[in-house]
Amino acid sequence: MTTSTSGSAVERYKYDVVVIGAGGAGLRAAVEAREAGLRVAIICKSLFGKAHTVMAEGGVAASMGNVNENDGWKVHFRDTMRGGKFLNNWRMAELHAKESPDRVWELETWGALFDRTKDGRISQRNFGGHEYPRLAHVGDRTGLELIRTMQQRIVALQQKDKKQYGDAEKYIKVFAELTITEILKDGGKVSGAFGYWRETGGEVAFEAPAVVLATGGIGKSFKITSNSWEGTGDGHALALKAGGSLIDMEFVQFHPTGMVWPPSVRGLLVTESVRGDGGVLTNSEGKRFMFNYIPEVFKDKYADNEAEADRWYTDQQNNRRPPELLPRDEVARAINSEIKAGRGSEHGGVYLDVSKRLPADVIRKKLPSMWHQFKELADVDITQTAMEVGPTCHYVMGGVHVDPDTAAAVGVPGLFAAGEVAGGMHGSNRLGGNSLSDLLVFGRRAGAGAAEYVKAMKKRPTVSDKAIKSAQDSLDAPFNRKSAKKSDSENPYTIHHELQELTQSLVGIIRTEKELKDALKKIDSLRARAAKAKAEGGRAFNPGFHLTFDLDNMLLVSECIALSALNSSGVTRWTHTR
Amino acid sequence: MARKVKMRIWRGDSKSGGFKEVTVPANEGEVVLDVIHRVQATEMSDLAVRWNCKAGKCGSCSMEINGKPRLACMTRMNSFEEGETITVTPLRAFPVIRDLVTDVSFNYKKAMEVDAYEHPEELKPGQARMQQVDVERSQEFRKCIECFLCQDTCHVIRDHEENKKSFAGPRFFIRMAELDMHPLDKLRNRKRKAQEEHGLGMCNITKCCTEVCPEHIRITDNAIIPMKERVVDEKYDPIRWLGSKIRKREGL
């Protein structure tokens, strides 16, 4: 057995499938693989049930037609393609639109409690870019409901295994607070994964013929972001290093409405439901500016005057939608233009006001977390006054190039990817609500794809001692870095901070060739400095040490974003605007 | 704008530890977690702290701030007096791993012991019909972000390690209540199990859990007390007792 420099032996496990990431996509993949009879390891960087999915607010898009029976998968498909400026992988958009209703109903059979319509079915709400009310929701905490339901589904399956086999972890085991640093390969095929327990620093090697990446996004590479610390692009980087390819990386979604004040919460998400439920955007002159920003392709669907827009809330058959409900990229760019033109709010945002449309008690009921968030973090009562909001880095449409039907990563046999880490589904811009449904639809498909791949396999790849040794050496590197002078050593927190500043200002909403080239140069020099960032202290729960790995990944994805943006040679491809 | 604040931070591991004092700037609008991050970035790069969303939605940054179980991301710096020293310590009811991080696996073990939701087989996906008013009771408990502050503050666990074996704690009483009030759940003996297997009777409704809940879930009033009352009804009402024997129905 190999012994690590951490002092203890490398823990070794054998599974059929290793799922990296325990958000909606990872857990749905695990359930599917388990139900196909496979043994599954679920790996999460934080505690079980804390994944970024928990922060999703508005809802899950599925054309169940509970509120407007004209809805159906074809309309959802069209909306998704139109929102993504037809740059989506059409097959993924088709599967997504067709299967999302079943995935939502399935959650209900696992105990989820969505808000209801008057006749007792799952209620659906309006959202930007969706023609009909389509988002199944639980107030504005839908992500929490989704993650808890999936988490409890995993527990239910473990309880069953305990009853049947006397061992709850016979088929599914959750490895919480474990970071994967490398995908292991054997003769071109995936053979497992290597990582370390965050708690102790102890090393772990998984031998498994299939690995599902469900690691989420990249938001922590940007300064103003709605993402939690976990969004460091781990899966993007792991796939790339394992020989996979990333597509559409220039498409980063800036959600139009993040908090702007106070500074410590800048970027925190203000759900699109605020607009779906009647919130309007105004500038410092008190004007509803969105009427000036309706692009040609949307003119038939969006009202060009306030009277019609207001009527829509009560009569959707005979009026066009208010332009506040345009897709996110349109609204974010409009807000950006207003601020740049000097019509911004006091703290550099614009105003979003729902207090004039809905009574206070309705706001508190429909948007409880928003009410809570503004009250507790900004001393603002949204039932009385407007919120100040501005664009925040929210989601990456780009990601691992996958086969639409099986979620298999192109070019790396045994590697699969689902959810935000996968690319293609959303084209150049994701519609609100299409993320939670994406997690479920493609999480399930990745689990099934992995199961099918494993079952068809004749000889399993193995993990060699040599592969483990090399992974160990990389893990040890941050502790062994020596600098000639103390003043030469680098602080990973400082480098991270500088990276965030540079992506924000040079690779943001509007990009120029000159700035992108500048960004690439600066990323290079940050990488050189990151290679000198030494981890202080020991291996046990050491955030400085953890950050050195996250930082490598963030530098890599930031470079991918800047490179993709540069290579799209002067073309404005919507969320990517040059 | 920036003022200086004195932080007293517990540092150590399962074997030993003590307070370290540090003075750092705090800016307008910041929360305790911001200041801890500043300490991490400038003074103690290996200071262990759990956090994820920094928005009060994930329940990771639970700790004790001036002795009170709180979320560090939702505790505003301006809630302290000018010049007040802010003391942060790990959750007391759970074993320390390092610095502000504790081993909360107790809670995941307890989660495993609560029987899962059982869906009626005859109800195929999409067929369920429920009224909003009926789902709202359980929805209140499903707001839980599993920060485990209620578990930490509950003196049945906090002061009596030996109770952990037989007591599930407030977080799991609301889970049981949630399933008990779920309009579709098939299992019918949840209240009795809460009493007999999960230690509901040990709770003496001091409401400490309700006080610390960052989601303002009325744990005691809406979950624990209703379950306690109905367990009593079932057990001591002679007519119901007889009925349960004659009709051979398990539970309520």
Side-chain angles (χ1 to χ4, degrees):
Chain A
M1 176 155 283
T2 338
T3 305
S4 83
T5 39
S6 70
S8 55
V10 181
E11 279 176 52
R12 294 190 68 156
Y13 296 94
K14 276 191 185 181
Y15 280 91
D16 298 318
V17 181
V18 169
V19 178
I20 308 175
L27 297 184
R28 189 60 191 83
V31 166
E32 198 65 14
R34 162 67 190 94
E35 285 180 342
L38 300 192
R39 293 185 64 245
V40 187
I42 300 172
I43 293 166
C44 40
K45 220 155 69 149
S46 28
L47 291 172
F48 190 34
K50 307 292 184 198
H52 192 61
T53 306
V54 84
M55 292 182 78
E57 292 165 354
V60 38
S63 59
M64 297 180 286
N66 289 353
V67 173
N68 188 323
E69 60 189 23
N70 293 322
D71 204 5
W73 79 263
K74 289 177 184 168
V75 194
H76 190 182
F77 172 74
R78 184 183 67 196
D79 290 346
T80 301
M81 293 297 289
R82 202 185 279 204
K85 301 301 183 295
F86 304 98
L87 294 167
N88 323 51
N89 177 310
W90 65 267
R91 174 66 177 159
M92 287 175 94
E94 180 194 3
L95 290 169
H96 167 259
K98 279 182 175 164
E99 294 176 4
S100 49
D102 286 337
R103 298 286 78 76
V104 172
W105 284 320
E106 176 178 76
L107 290 180
E108 198 162 70
T109 69
W110 295 341
L113 283 171
F114 291 100
D115 287 345
R116 318 306 295 181
T117 59
K118 285 218 164 57
D119 66 351
R121 291 184 292 176
I122 295 173
S123 175
Q124 299 185 266
R125 68 160 40 121
N126 285 301
F127 238 60
H130 293 283
E131 177 148 7
Y132 298 111
R134 188 174 285 147
L135 270 66
H137 56 92
V138 186
D140 54 4
R141 56 155 190 90
T142 315
L144 174 63
E145 186 69 12
L146 193 150
I147 196 97
R148 208 59 86 224
T149 303
M150 290 309 308
Q151 181 185 349
Q152 287 161 353
R153 178 65 188 160
I154 298 283
V155 169
L157 291 170
Q158 289 179 318
Q159 287 176 345
K160 248 197 226 164
D161 287 339
K162 178 151 195 204
K163 237 181 222 162
Q164 199 169 344
Y165 308 104
D167 177 8
E169 293 179 337
K170 184 175 165 71
Y171 279 92
I172 304 180
K173 183 170 161 73
V174 178
F175 294 79
E177 299 194 307
L178 195 150
T179 297
I180 293 296
T181 55
E182 227 168 285
I183 303 289
L184 304 173
K185 285 171 79 176
D186 176 17
K189 289 184 180 148
V190 165
S191 62
F194 180 89
Y196 68 93
W197 291 107
R198 298 173 78 82
E199 191 178 302
T200 59
E203 295 162 359
V204 190
F206 294 90
E207 188 167 291
V211 170
V212 178
L213 295 172
T215 51
I218 57 102
K220 273 296 165 196
S221 313
F222 286 78
K223 182 180 163 197
I224 301 175
T225 176
S226 63
N227 288 191
S228 79
W229 74 268
E230 296 191 293
T232 51
D234 297 8
H236 291 80
L238 287 171
L240 203 57
K241 289 178 186 165
S245 32
L246 303 181
I247 57 167
D248 295 348
M249 286 304 285
E250 70 272 35
F251 301 140
V252 176
Q253 180 171 76
F254 293 85
H255 193 290
T257 59
M259 288 176 81
V260 298
W261 188 261
S264 84
V265 295
R266 188 158 193 147
L268 202 59
L269 191 65
V270 178
T271 176
E272 193 165 324
S273 321
V274 176
R275 283 171 285 138
D277 291 339
V280 297
L281 291 163
T282 54
N283 58 23
S284 60
E285 295 163 3
K287 282 215 179 82
R288 270 178 80 174
F289 55 84
M290 280 309 300
F291 292 104
N292 305 332
Y293 294 94
I294 308 171
E296 206 51 48
V297 61
F298 292 110
K299 286 226 153 107
D300 60 325
K301 297 281 179 199
Y302 288 83
D304 53 13
N305 62 86
E306 288 197 31
E308 183 179 351
D310 288 346
R311 284 197 304 271
W312 178 85
Y313 288 103
T314 45
D315 176 7
Q316 299 178 4
Q317 295 295 1
N318 301 306
N319 296 289
R320 290 172 297 173
R321 311 154 61 79
E324 276 86 0
L325 291 179
L326 277 161
R328 289 173 175 172
D329 54 339
E330 306 292 351
V331 184
R333 265 197 306 276
I335 292 175
N336 198 52
S337 304
E338 286 297 308
I339 298 168
K340 288 222 162 138
R343 293 188 292 271
S345 66
E346 189 190 345
H347 300 108
V350 293
Y351 298 102
L352 172 62
D353 195 352
V354 69
S355 69
K356 293 189 186 69
R357 177 95 54 189
L358 299 174
D361 57 324
V362 177
I363 294 175
R364 277 194 293 267
K365 190 153 193 174
K366 283 193 157 182
L367 304 163
S369 335
M370 284 305 106
W371 183 76
H372 191 223
Q373 180 174 314
F374 273 90
K375 189 95 191 137
E376 299 208 1
L377 295 173
D379 296 320
V380 167
D381 181 352
I382 66 168
T383 67
Q384 304 301 321
T385 51
M387 301 160 241
E388 273 188 81
V389 296
T392 176
C393 176
H394 185 56
Y395 189 87
V396 60
M397 275 66 69
V400 181
H401 186 197
V402 291
D403 169 61
D405 289 75
T406 61
V410 175
V412 193
L415 190 65
F416 298 79
E420 191 170 351
V421 68
M425 156 71 207
H426 304 286
S428 72
N429 176 53
R430 175 175 71 76
L431 294 185
N434 272 0
S435 179
L436 291 186
S437 41
D438 170 5
L439 302 183
L440 297 169
V441 168
F442 292 103
R444 177 183 152 275
R445 284 189 164 269
E452 207 178 312
Y453 172 82
V454 171
K455 285 181 176 173
M457 180 167 260
K458 291 201 178 70
K459 186 173 169 287
R460 292 200 174 197
T462 55
V463 172
S464 68
D465 285 349
K466 197 175 144 222
I468 291 182
K469 179 73 179 64
S470 139
Q472 281 181 306
D473 289 346
S474 318
L475 189 65
D476 238 2
F479 288 103
N480 299 332
R481 287 169 188 157
K482 286 192 186 86
S483 33
K485 289 185 299 229
K486 184 134 206 291
S487 58
D488 279 355
S489 79
E490 295 281 353
N491 177 337
Y493 296 99
T494 309
I495 301 175
H496 182 205
H497 181 76
E498 286 179 32
L499 174 67
Q500 290 179 317
E501 292 284 347
L502 105 83
T503 48
Q504 194 73 34
S505 60
L506 303 179
V507 200
I509 299 185
I510 310 288
R511 300 159 179 170
T512 67
E513 185 176 336
K514 188 177 159 292
E515 287 181 342
L516 289 170
K517 285 186 171 156
D518 191 21
L520 283 167
K521 235 185 267 158
K522 288 185 167 152
I523 289 170
D524 258 356
S525 82
L526 283 181
R527 181 173 292 121
R529 285 171 53 196
K532 289 194 277 182
K534 183 172 160 60
E536 303 290 340
R539 275 219 186 177
F541 218 114
N542 180 347
F545 165 56
H546 301 163
L547 183 58
T548 58
F549 286 96
D550 295 342
L551 195 55
D552 276 349
N553 297 336
M554 286 187 279
L555 283 164
L556 190 56
V557 292
S558 301
E559 184 180 7
C560 290
I561 293 166
L563 262 180
S564 292
L566 196 60
N567 289 342
S568 66
S569 60
V571 188
T572 293
R573 294 172 78 201
W574 305 94
T575 37
H576 160 61
T577 307
R578 276 188 58 189
Chain B
M1 275 224 309
R3 58 178 171 128
K4 296 264 182 193
V5 287
K6 197 196 256 183
M7 301 290 293
R8 216 168 139 248
I9 302 172
W10 193 90
R11 298 211 62 185
D13 53 28
S14 57
K15 291 179 210 88
S16 63
F19 286 100
K20 290 271 182 317
E21 282 192 0
V22 57
T23 302
V24 284
N27 302 315
E28 188 183 347
E30 285 189 335
V31 292
V32 169
L33 187 59
D34 288 310
V35 177
I36 290 176
H37 281 157
R38 186 161 301 122
V39 172
Q40 226 177 26
T42 59
E43 310 279 337
M44 309 170 179
S45 79
D46 62 339
L47 172 64
V49 55
R50 267 198 196 103
W51 70 286
N52 273 31
C53 75
K54 203 172 162 289
K57 288 182 167 49
C58 76
S60 301
C61 60
S62 305
M63 59 185 71
E64 300 193 2
I65 302 171
N66 287 351
K68 275 203 183 127
R70 307 281 299 261
L71 291 180
C73 74
M74 296 301 280
T75 307
R76 295 277 295 273
M77 290 303 290
N78 65 9
S79 64
F80 303 100
E81 300 288 321
E82 194 83 39
E84 188 178 349
T85 300
I86 299 162
T87 303
V88 286
T89 46
L91 297 176
R92 202 180 86 190
F94 308 117
V96 171
I97 293 173
R98 204 167 156 263
D99 304 340
L100 302 172
V101 175
T102 53
D103 176 1
V104 292
S105 57
F106 163 76
N107 300 292
Y108 292 92
K109 274 188 211 104
K110 291 295 169 185
M112 188 67 78
E113 289 167 10
V114 180
D115 290 325
Y117 168 76
E118 273 193 37
H119 192 71
E121 281 131 38
E122 67 280 9
L123 267 187
K124 297 291 167 249
Q127 289 182 342
R129 296 292 179 272
M130 294 178 262
Q131 287 307 306
Q132 181 65 29
V133 52
D134 294 323
V135 299
E136 267 170 15
R137 292 187 299 171
S138 296
Q139 278 181 338
E140 180 189 2
F141 308 132
R142 288 184 73 84
K143 283 197 308 193
C144 171
I145 58 174
E146 299 205 322
C147 62
F148 307 129
L149 292 178
C150 58
Q151 303 286 81
D152 178 57
T153 204
C154 177
H155 56 93
V156 178
I157 311 175
R158 192 177 175 90
D159 301 326
H160 302 276
E161 187 64 29
E162 71 279 10
N163 285 343
K164 281 188 177 170
K165 206 163 169 271
S166 47
F167 185 74
R171 192 285 168 252
F172 298 100
F173 294 139
I174 65 170
R175 169 72 173 144
M176 291 171 222
E178 166 216 319
L179 288 163
D180 187 49
M181 296 176 193
H182 193 300
L184 301 178
D185 179 49
K186 260 179 30 181
L187 269 193
R188 306 207 57 97
N189 56 353
R190 293 198 183 271
K191 281 181 288 282
R192 208 182 60 205
K193 278 197 161 182
Q195 180 76 10
E196 290 171 4
E197 294 172 20
H198 302 289
L200 180 68
M202 292 162 88
C203 162
N204 48 12
I205 51 176
T206 50
K207 299 198 184 186
C208 311
C209 50
T210 305
E211 268 170 37
V212 299
C213 178
E215 285 293 310
H216 309 295
I217 299 169
R218 299 182 65 194
I219 302 173
T220 321
D221 287 353
N222 292 353
I224 295 179
I225 292 178
M227 282 206 295
K228 276 176 175 275
E229 283 175 351
R230 297 182 59 190
V231 167
V232 170
D233 280 355
E234 182 195 10
K235 223 171 167 174
Y236 301 107
D237 179 335
I239 295 173
R240 292 181 82 156
W241 175 83
L242 191 66
S244 75
K245 291 288 161 196
I246 294 169
R247 288 164 64 200
K248 294 213 186 291
R249 252 185 71 193
E250 203 189 358
L252 292 170

